[in-house]
Amino acid sequence: YRDHAGNISQRASDSIEVVAVDYDFEVESLPKTFFYSGSAHSLDSSTAYSGSKSLLLSGNDQCAQLRFTTTGGSYSFRYKLSGQTYGLRFKINGSSQFTSYSSSSWKKYAGTLGSGVQLLEWCTQYSNTYVWIDDISLPDLTADTTAPSGTSVQIGSSEQMPQAATTDRSVRLKLQASDSIGLTGYYVSETDTLPSDPQWQSINWSTSYNTTTGFELSSGLGTKTVYAWYRDHAGNISQRASDSIE
């Protein structure tokens, strides 16, 4: 530090260690960074590589998926299989890395990730497969500060979208948005400001969202405007989108 006369203080310092991100599943609920193509998944306390819990996938073609942004580096995880006929398929960004058909004891798989958005998938292959995943180690992650983009809302009906005028207060909304990591919710209202505690409608962690849903317009004649906001997994909220109908 320097004062008005130019005198300079002694050096001060502090340190922090940057470490890899680890998932050992010892928490009571699954991390929000995981999402699934099926429902057959849970935290399991019957077996674990370390601690008392692991992630269990069972059934046919059930996938645990983890999407994130990283600066790149080494990753690893432990896995274990069981069942009459069983298999684990591990993929990165849609590309298969390895398939295992036999591992009744814990094994380690390791590799290197590039920088940018990465999608890791652990998938079962047969209906009576049991796969346990534990001790996932990831390289440094980059905080997601980018809000969803490509957002829009259109007002119409099942017969026409969009629609300029209607005699029915029950309309359909077409909602669209995208996000590099994943959308988790949307909020629609005829009020042009987002409330402090909005009741977000859930989106199943999609990078590209395009759907239609029902909406009830407020009573009375005249122009009605519907506003929409979208939120991603990190809590970033999009700019307001809107459409009007008479």
Side-chain angles (χ1 to χ4, degrees):
Y1 300 88
R2 187 179 67 174
D3 65 16
H4 74 103
N7 301 304
I8 299 174
S9 71
Q10 294 293 312
R11 181 183 66 190
S13 65
D14 191 20
S15 299
I16 190 171
E17 184 179 4
V18 178
V19 298
V21 177
D22 295 310
Y23 292 97
D24 59 9
F25 304 106
E26 294 306 297
V27 294
E28 291 301 318
S29 59
L30 292 169
K32 294 181 179 179
T33 43
F34 284 84
F35 62 111
Y36 306 88
S37 62
S39 59
H41 61 277
S42 62
L43 289 177
D44 183 58
S45 58
S46 67
T47 183
Y49 175 76
S50 61
S52 60
K53 296 185 180 71
S54 61
L55 175 65
L56 170 63
L57 293 173
S58 60
N60 184 34
D61 201 27
Q62 304 297 308
C63 298
Q65 302 173 313
L66 176 59
R67 186 183 290 117
F68 52 89
T69 304
T70 178
T71 55
S74 299
Y75 73 92
S76 65
F77 62 90
R78 309 275 178 168
Y79 66 95
K80 180 180 177 180
L81 310 179
S82 179
Q84 293 177 343
T85 56
Y86 47 83
L88 165 65
R89 185 173 66 257
F90 175 64
K91 298 185 289 185
I92 298 177
N93 298 326
S95 176
S96 180
Q97 304 299 303
F98 84 96
T99 301
S100 176
Y101 296 102
S102 61
S103 181
S104 58
S105 59
W106 287 100
K107 289 186 177 180
K108 181 178 181 179
Y109 184 81
T112 302
L113 292 172
S115 61
V117 177
Q118 304 291 332
L119 172 62
L120 276 55
E121 297 179 272
W122 295 265
C123 301
T124 61
Q125 291 205 217
Y126 301 107
S127 58
N128 55 354
T129 293
Y130 296 90
V131 174
W132 290 270
I133 305 295
D134 203 356
D135 195 35
I136 300 174
S137 179
L138 301 174
D140 295 341
L141 304 189
T142 303
D144 179 12
T145 59
T146 304
S149 60
T151 58
S152 67
V153 57
Q154 292 180 322
I155 310 172
S157 64
S158 300
E159 292 74 29
Q160 183 180 351
M161 183 69 71
Q163 197 168 317
T166 183
T167 59
D168 191 349
R169 289 173 53 201
S170 296
V171 296
R172 302 289 294 175
L173 301 181
K174 182 177 182 179
L175 304 170
Q176 289 182 291
S178 61
D179 187 81
S180 62
I181 303 298
L183 297 151
T184 58
Y186 70 87
Y187 179 81
V188 292
S189 173
E190 286 187 68
T191 303
D192 63 359
T193 56
L194 191 65
S196 58
D197 187 23
Q199 299 300 303
W200 295 98
Q201 299 299 308
S202 178
I203 297 174
N204 187 23
W205 202 319
S206 174
T207 56
S208 181
Y209 190 65
N210 185 344
T211 194
T212 59
T213 188
F215 186 80
E216 192 79 7
L217 295 171
S218 59
S219 60
L221 301 177
T223 300
K224 306 290 183 178
T225 301
V226 175
Y227 303 91
W229 293 262
Y230 300 85
R231 184 179 67 172
D232 67 14
H233 79 110
N236 301 306
I237 298 173
S238 71
Q239 294 293 313
R240 183 183 67 191
S242 65
D243 192 23
S244 298
I245 193 170
E246 188 174 353

